[in-house]
Amino acid sequence: MWKPDRQSQKPLYEQIADHLEQKISYGEFPPGSLLPSERKLAEQLGVNRSTVILAFAELRSMGIIESRSGSGTRVSQYKWGATPRHTPNWKRYAEGGSFLPNVPFLRRIREALSQTPSMIDFASGELSGDLSPMNEIAMLMDEHHYTSYLGYANPQGYIPLRQALVAYLDQYRGIQTTESSILITSGSQQSLFLITQCLLSPGDAVAIEDPSYCYSLPMFQSAGLRLFRLPVDRDGVRPEDIRTLYKKHRIKMIFTNPNYQNPTGTFLTDERRNKLLEIASELGLPIVEDDPYSLTDYEGEFCPPLKSVDPHGNIIYIGSFSKIVASGLRIGWMVAPHAIVERLADARQQMDFGLSVIPQQVAAQFLISSHFEPQLNRLRMQLRYKRDLLIEALQKELPGLIQYNIPQGGIHMWCKLVPEVNDAKLLEEGIKKGVVFVPGSVYGSDSGYVRFTFARAKEEDIGPGIAAFAEALRELIK
Amino acid sequence: MWKPDRQSQKPLYEQIADHLEQKISYGEFPPGSLLPSERKLAEQLGVNRSTVILAFAELRSMGIIESRSGSGTRVSQYKWGATPRHTPNWKRYAEGGSFLPNVPFLRRIREALSQTPSMIDFASGELSGDLSPMNEIAMLMDEHHYTSYLGYANPQGYIPLRQALVAYLDQYRGIQTTESSILITSGSQQSLFLITQCLLSPGDAVAIEDPSYCYSLPMFQSAGLRLFRLPVDRDGVRPEDIRTLYKKHRIKMIFTNPNYQNPTGTFLTDERRNKLLEIASELGLPIVEDDPYSLTDYEGEFCPPLKSVDPHGNIIYIGSFSKIVASGLRIGWMVAPHAIVERLADARQQMDFGLSVIPQQVAAQFLISSHFEPQLNRLRMQLRYKRDLLIEALQKELPGLIQYNIPQGGIHMWCKLVPEVNDAKLLEEGIKKGVVFVPGSVYGSDSGYVRFTFARAKEEDIGPGIAAFAEALRELIK
Ligand SMILES: Cc1ncc(COP(=O)(O)O)c(C=O)c1O
Ligand SMILES: Cc1ncc(COP(=O)(O)O)c(C=O)c1O
């Protein structure tokens, strides 16, 4: 006799529901017939009665069986007539797969933003329209007549864009590389996805900063990785922690965002950079350097990435247009050993067959155009201005209720709340008052923090947004 | 004492190599010291001696140890000096991950095409430049001044494109749907990827056509699915086979390409369509209908998709611009129950954060422009013309050596070779003579077939390409 499989990942009740559905579908229990009682079935299958109750509930919700109190559970007449027909159980398919859903807070924020267009947005990690060079891009597109061949593109990315990036990386990032070591991706996001899916295996241990953007990505768990924390203090991560994690867990890769980190705004000190590189090369450990923010340094200073001083080739470098030009272009890049680039380009063919040629052409043109440098200068000034507006508002609206370090670059401000409040309640209260932000717990293990992104909101909304936040916070502590 | 883990997915020799590397890195075996012999280590660890030999070979290739005949195996002096430093073993990372590499034949073809630009291409499943409306697209881009906001796009896709698709699907495909049931994807490829990754779990059984495009996608195996065949004959798949597979293997989904199938060019008959829908709805089984070719019907006849007569909502419908407009746009779409669309859009955020807005705008404009209908008419005529050129060449160059059915739509011709030849040798011989095609075994279980795609090659190259193929074939059978 059939028994549910206790080793299976599929819950017992679902296995039982499937099994009964099959029996019914093949006529072993004809329409209108009586099923065994819950108690009896539980005994036969060697499971708890509550498991059978769940299985029956599932079948009931699909309209396959009906229960009437006192007269037991029967196969439905309606659905299972002479020629039974039914719709797939789409809900169950939607719950399947190995891919975890996004963090509930982030889904809730997206929902609130789409329901209320006037919502003040301190949550989305992107530039407002006026910070993006939309007119310049439109001008370039007008000038250029796009009649090139639109076949499947080069798997590693459009060659002129890779050429433009070689010059860009040299000039702006101090990185010497060649076209063949560059992979064009759909933003840093796809670079991270490819690395976690294709270079690591389920069960592998990796080190990520805490707090970190990476914690907001169920992607790491979906890939079955074991995550270990590198706590971030005022000066970034402590490199010695890596040695400890390596000894204890044999970590296989380190993910870091050393320049104006998301969410803390921290800049890793020189001393720690050197130490980090030393330890990684001593252990032969790859570092993934995710670097979307370094060109936003408000003083316009050159912030050398780790990759520019990587004597032993330990670093996979990730860059993106999202935080300096426009996130909607979906253009990012990765610099890595050729064997890695080739492997990832190959796997990517199976996922999406590569990026559209058009945004790659636009990005290449913008990068070599005379608009790029002025865009950076304007962006830096305006980001600093927005940061100052935010600080002013925080000082005015929340004196004594909030603590922070002042970031010198990037688009995020990481704030510790002095009163203890519940993250979920605070977010809901904020939404009621017309403002969204990201509860700090999304980014890792610390609670009692909030991330305010100041790049997305309009200048004139920053003050009122923080006033609304202050009202929400006071609501919870009164 | 440490022992390798026999339950682990990681090969024993790699575990042993890792373990020794760690010991060496922590100074348990200092530079220059002698390691235990292969035989002794094998005994200690309870493994075959050949496993230890493999582990040593690995460490040797990384420069960590050195063997000299007669004097045993020692830790290298060079790499492991006072402050040992080394580069990550990138090769091993490149081999990691759960994502399988592409089919070797397809990699070989890509390589040959990139090395020899004059190669005649019967392999790439895409349109030649003159079949794509490149001038029309360039004109639309000139007319339209793109200054819309370029932030992260809507997770389900650009709304005006979804609106244009609602009208398109109604008019051209007989499908009534709404914006909220449409997901924009990076071609059909990404639709298939999302479905296999997010709706199915490792171990799930699915049915795919044989031969089929799906067999060329290691993606299905990467997702851990068990694949079962639905043999394709002249009239498409035999629906009754589904019932058999369902009984035997509890298949959870059916993948089909019913209109001018890739690679066979087959069109599923009306009778089988009805039967297929009847059986799927009886079993509550979802069908994924992959439909990139139906608008290429050479007579311009309306080929209703399964989705247009889907009374019980069993069908996820996939469409694409790749075979009717341009594959380099990377624009595809999926029509599915809203719960499914939402789930996939959410997961996609973690993979690439959605598609670039620009190609979505271009696609939306093209779809509602006056260029779309003439493009289809021109395409059909030219595809038929190219098919005729191919048939003429086959008759001239390969009389008696090849058998085929004449397709009435699509871009592929499926040919059975009368003489028995080795696939790999034939491809290599073809490459030598300057022509590529796809060996039939890439698409499934039958050998002795070849797929010629006639859309990609220039008209004037079709005859010479087949002549070169004939030479290659004769080379092998003489
Ligand atoms: C550290 C970091 N990495 C990656 C990303 C993803 O950005 P994109 O894919 O748009 O380049 C972000 C966006 O917030 C980020 O902050
Ligand atoms: C049946 C079928 N499905 C899907 C695809 C993928 O095409 P795209 O992702 O460009 O839409 C192809 C391409 O050859 C195909 O033949």
Side-chain angles (χ1 to χ4, degrees):
Chain A
M1 207 199 127
W2 180 85
K3 290 257 162 86
D5 173 7
R6 289 178 182 274
Q7 307 303 318
S8 162
Q9 291 205 338
K10 191 191 274 192
L12 293 179
Y13 82 91
E14 273 192 22
Q15 295 182 43
I16 296 171
D18 280 353
H19 173 72
L20 290 174
E21 187 193 341
Q22 189 178 16
K23 287 200 149 180
I24 294 169
S25 129
Y26 282 105
E28 290 190 42
F29 295 113
S33 64
L34 199 61
L35 291 181
S37 73
E38 287 156 0
R39 196 181 42 74
K40 187 136 175 237
L41 208 54
E43 229 168 66
Q44 281 176 1
L45 301 175
V47 299
N48 287 332
R49 186 162 161 210
S50 59
T51 308
V52 176
I53 292 177
L54 279 175
F56 276 18
E58 176 92 11
L59 293 172
R60 217 160 20 235
S61 78
M62 291 160 72
I64 295 173
I65 60 172
E66 296 168 343
S67 311
R68 228 160 296 162
S69 58
S71 75
T73 299
R74 288 176 188 277
V75 177
S76 304
Q77 292 279 4
Y78 169 67
K79 278 258 182 181
W80 300 86
T83 46
R85 296 224 175 314
H86 62 298
T87 301
N89 185 352
W90 289 115
K91 190 173 142 283
R92 204 192 282 167
Y93 281 93
E95 286 163 0
S98 50
F99 232 83
L100 297 178
N102 273 316
V103 179
F105 279 146
L106 298 182
R107 293 158 66 111
R108 178 69 184 108
I109 291 166
R110 207 155 75 204
E111 186 188 78
L113 283 169
S114 74
Q115 278 166 358
T116 315
S118 66
M119 188 72 68
I120 296 179
D121 183 357
F122 293 131
S124 304
E126 63 179 343
L127 306 179
S128 54
D130 60 317
L131 296 185
S132 272
M134 292 184 311
N135 278 310
E136 290 83 346
I137 287 181
M139 270 166 54
L140 286 173
M141 290 177 72
D142 286 352
E143 281 162 29
H144 188 93
H145 194 68
Y146 289 86
T147 47
S148 49
Y149 175 54
L150 287 177
Y152 288 114
N154 184 299
Q156 263 183 245
Y158 183 59
I159 293 176
L161 175 56
R162 287 192 272 144
Q163 287 165 340
L165 282 169
V166 169
Y168 157 86
L169 287 164
D170 185 23
Q171 183 181 348
Y172 288 92
R173 311 303 304 118
I175 295 171
Q176 270 81 48
T177 187
T178 59
E179 265 165 72
S180 68
S181 302
I182 296 178
L183 178 69
I184 309 295
T185 60
S186 172
S188 322
Q189 188 69 40
Q190 191 175 38
S191 293
L192 292 171
F193 179 64
L194 288 168
I195 292 168
T196 51
Q197 286 283 317
C198 305
L199 305 182
L200 297 165
S201 302
D204 279 351
V206 301
I208 64 182
E209 295 167 338
D210 183 16
S212 145
Y213 175 68
C214 297
Y215 278 106
S216 69
L217 302 175
M219 193 184 94
F220 283 82
Q221 288 102 315
S222 298
L225 303 178
R226 291 180 298 135
L227 304 179
F228 295 98
R229 334 169 30 227
L230 296 171
V232 173
D233 65 24
R234 269 191 87 113
D235 295 329
V237 294
R238 291 180 308 248
E240 282 298 337
D241 292 346
I242 289 169
R243 218 191 284 275
T244 319
L245 290 185
Y246 185 79
K247 281 199 194 154
K248 264 206 195 150
H249 307 289
R250 280 293 268 171
I251 50 170
K252 295 201 84 173
M253 207 173 265
I254 303 161
F255 290 82
T256 178
N257 171 203
N259 302 321
Y260 308 123
Q261 199 239 11
N262 179 2
T264 63
T266 312
F267 194 83
L268 189 67
T269 58
D270 278 356
E271 205 192 312
R272 292 194 180 180
R273 274 168 206 259
N274 293 336
K275 194 79 198 158
L276 180 62
L277 283 167
E278 194 185 304
I279 293 177
S281 66
E282 182 189 321
L283 303 176
L285 263 180
I287 298 179
V288 175
E289 179 179 24
D290 186 9
D291 187 32
Y293 299 111
S294 51
L295 288 184
T296 60
D297 180 283
Y298 306 142
E299 305 302 325
E301 272 185 36
F302 175 64
C303 307
L306 292 167
K307 180 73 192 166
S308 65
V309 282
D310 173 29
H312 302 280
N314 287 71
I315 296 193
I316 294 180
Y317 177 82
I318 296 178
S320 170
F321 257 15
S322 289
K323 317 295 175 180
I324 52 175
V325 179
S327 46
L329 274 181
R330 304 310 303 130
I331 294 291
W333 47 89
M334 184 192 299
V335 182
H338 184 64
I340 298 291
V341 164
E342 236 183 356
R343 166 82 178 101
L344 300 183
D346 184 71
R348 204 252 303 266
Q349 293 291 92
Q350 297 170 43
M351 299 175 177
D352 59 19
F353 236 105
L355 292 191
S356 177
V357 184
I358 297 176
Q360 298 191 77
Q361 288 176 330
V362 171
Q365 279 164 16
F366 188 72
L367 211 44
I368 60 172
S369 77
S370 60
H371 303 299
F372 186 61
E373 180 87 31
Q375 160 65 12
L376 291 181
N377 293 333
R378 196 172 60 102
L379 177 68
R380 286 170 176 141
M381 266 180 42
Q382 293 190 319
L383 284 179
R384 179 163 51 184
Y385 182 60
K386 281 187 160 180
R387 176 204 63 180
D388 291 344
L389 288 177
L390 177 62
I391 291 178
E392 199 180 301
L394 292 174
Q395 284 173 345
K396 178 170 161 227
E397 304 287 348
L398 295 157
L401 292 179
I402 210 160
Q403 291 165 352
Y404 48 82
N405 297 321
I406 297 179
Q408 303 304 319
I411 64 175
H412 308 293
M413 184 119 171
W414 184 241
C415 297
K416 181 162 177 52
L417 299 176
V418 176
E420 261 185 48
V421 294
N422 175 293
D423 268 4
K425 284 193 186 142
L426 184 60
L427 180 61
E428 286 308 323
E429 204 55 45
I431 289 171
K432 266 195 224 153
K433 310 276 189 232
V435 61
V436 287
F437 49 87
V438 187
S441 57
V442 164
Y443 301 104
S445 47
D446 279 339
S447 71
Y449 285 82
V450 162
R451 188 192 83 172
F452 293 114
T453 300
F454 46 85
R456 180 68 176 89
K458 294 199 204 104
E459 288 172 8
E460 64 269 27
D461 282 347
I462 292 181
I466 293 300
F469 175 83
E471 266 184 62
L473 182 62
R474 292 221 164 77
E475 201 65 51
L476 295 188
I477 56 182
K478 77 179 177 196
Chain B
M1 210 199 124
W2 180 86
K3 290 256 161 72
D5 173 7
R6 288 177 183 276
Q7 307 305 315
S8 163
Q9 291 205 337
K10 190 192 275 190
L12 291 179
Y13 82 91
E14 273 192 21
Q15 295 183 41
I16 296 171
D18 280 353
H19 173 72
L20 290 173
E21 187 193 341
Q22 188 176 20
K23 286 198 151 184
I24 293 169
S25 129
Y26 282 106
E28 289 189 44
F29 295 113
S33 63
L34 198 63
L35 290 181
S37 72
E38 287 157 359
R39 197 183 40 75
K40 186 134 175 238
L41 208 56
E43 229 168 65
Q44 281 176 1
L45 301 176
V47 298
N48 286 333
R49 187 161 159 214
S50 58
T51 309
V52 176
I53 292 176
L54 280 175
F56 276 17
E58 176 92 11
L59 293 172
R60 221 165 12 241
S61 76
M62 292 160 71
I64 294 174
I65 62 173
E66 295 168 345
S67 310
R68 230 161 294 162
S69 59
S71 76
T73 300
R74 287 176 189 278
V75 177
S76 303
Q77 293 279 5
Y78 169 69
K79 278 259 185 180
W80 300 88
T83 46
R85 298 224 171 316
H86 61 298
T87 301
N89 184 351
W90 288 115
K91 193 173 139 283
R92 202 191 285 165
Y93 281 93
E95 287 163 358
S98 50
F99 231 82
L100 297 179
N102 273 317
V103 179
F105 279 146
L106 297 182
R107 294 156 67 109
R108 179 70 185 108
I109 291 166
R110 208 155 71 206
E111 189 189 77
L113 284 169
S114 74
Q115 278 165 359
T116 314
S118 65
M119 189 72 69
I120 296 178
D121 183 358
F122 293 131
S124 305
E126 61 180 344
L127 306 180
S128 55
D130 61 314
L131 296 185
S132 271
M134 292 187 308
N135 278 311
E136 290 82 347
I137 287 180
M139 270 167 54
L140 286 174
M141 290 176 73
D142 286 353
E143 281 163 27
H144 188 93
H145 194 67
Y146 289 86
T147 48
S148 48
Y149 175 55
L150 287 177
Y152 289 115
N154 185 299
Q156 261 182 251
Y158 183 59
I159 293 174
L161 176 55
R162 286 192 271 143
Q163 287 165 341
L165 281 169
V166 169
Y168 158 86
L169 287 164
D170 185 21
Q171 184 182 346
Y172 288 91
R173 311 303 305 117
I175 295 170
Q176 269 82 47
T177 186
T178 59
E179 268 163 70
S180 68
S181 301
I182 297 178
L183 178 68
I184 308 295
T185 60
S186 173
S188 321
Q189 188 69 38
Q190 191 175 38
S191 293
L192 292 171
F193 180 64
L194 288 168
I195 291 168
T196 52
Q197 287 282 317
C198 304
L199 304 183
L200 297 165
S201 302
D204 280 351
V206 301
I208 65 183
E209 294 166 340
D210 183 15
S212 143
Y213 176 68
C214 296
Y215 277 105
S216 71
L217 301 175
M219 192 184 95
F220 283 83
Q221 287 102 316
S222 297
L225 302 178
R226 291 180 297 136
L227 304 180
F228 295 98
R229 337 167 29 224
L230 296 172
V232 174
D233 65 25
R234 268 191 87 114
D235 295 329
V237 294
R238 292 181 305 250
E240 283 298 339
D241 291 347
I242 289 168
R243 218 191 286 274
T244 318
L245 290 185
Y246 185 79
K247 278 198 195 153
K248 263 207 196 151
H249 307 290
R250 277 294 266 173
I251 50 169
K252 294 199 85 171
M253 209 174 264
I254 304 161
F255 290 82
T256 179
N257 170 202
N259 302 322
Y260 307 122
Q261 201 239 10
N262 179 0
T264 63
T266 312
F267 194 83
L268 188 68
T269 57
D270 277 356
E271 203 193 314
R272 291 195 181 179
R273 277 170 203 257
N274 292 337
K275 193 79 199 158
L276 180 63
L277 283 167
E278 192 185 304
I279 293 178
S281 67
E282 180 188 321
L283 303 176
L285 263 180
I287 298 179
V288 176
E289 178 179 25
D290 187 8
D291 186 33
Y293 299 110
S294 52
L295 288 184
T296 60
D297 180 282
Y298 306 142
E299 305 303 325
E301 270 185 37
F302 175 65
C303 309
L306 291 168
K307 180 71 190 168
S308 66
V309 280
D310 174 29
H312 302 281
N314 286 70
I315 296 193
I316 294 182
Y317 178 82
I318 296 178
S320 169
F321 255 16
S322 289
K323 316 295 174 181
I324 52 174
V325 179
S327 46
L329 274 181
R330 304 309 304 129
I331 294 291
W333 48 88
M334 185 192 296
V335 182
H338 185 65
I340 297 291
V341 165
E342 235 183 1
R343 166 83 179 101
L344 300 183
D346 184 72
R348 204 253 303 266
Q349 294 290 94
Q350 296 171 44
M351 300 177 176
D352 60 18
F353 236 107
L355 293 192
S356 178
V357 183
I358 297 175
Q360 298 191 74
Q361 288 174 330
V362 172
Q365 277 164 17
F366 188 74
L367 211 44
I368 59 172
S369 77
S370 59
H371 304 298
F372 186 62
E373 180 88 30
Q375 160 65 12
L376 292 181
N377 293 334
R378 195 172 60 102
L379 177 68
R380 286 171 176 141
M381 267 180 43
Q382 294 192 318
L383 285 178
R384 179 163 49 181
Y385 182 60
K386 282 187 160 181
R387 176 204 63 178
D388 290 344
L389 288 176
L390 177 63
I391 291 177
E392 199 181 303
L394 293 173
Q395 284 172 344
K396 178 168 162 231
E397 304 287 349
L398 294 157
L401 293 178
I402 209 160
Q403 292 166 352
Y404 47 81
N405 297 322
I406 297 178
Q408 303 305 321
I411 65 175
H412 308 292
M413 183 115 170
W414 184 240
C415 297
K416 181 161 179 51
L417 299 176
V418 176
E420 260 187 49
V421 294
N422 175 293
D423 268 3
K425 284 193 188 143
L426 184 60
L427 179 61
E428 285 308 322
E429 206 53 47
I431 290 171
K432 269 194 222 151
K433 310 275 188 234
V435 61
V436 287
F437 49 87
V438 187
S441 58
V442 164
Y443 301 105
S445 47
D446 279 339
S447 72
Y449 286 82
V450 162
R451 188 193 82 172
F452 293 115
T453 299
F454 46 86
R456 179 69 176 85
K458 294 197 204 108
E459 288 172 9
E460 62 271 27
D461 283 348
I462 292 181
I466 293 301
F469 175 82
E471 269 185 58
L473 182 62
R474 292 223 164 74
E475 201 64 53
L476 294 188
I477 56 181
K478 75 178 175 194

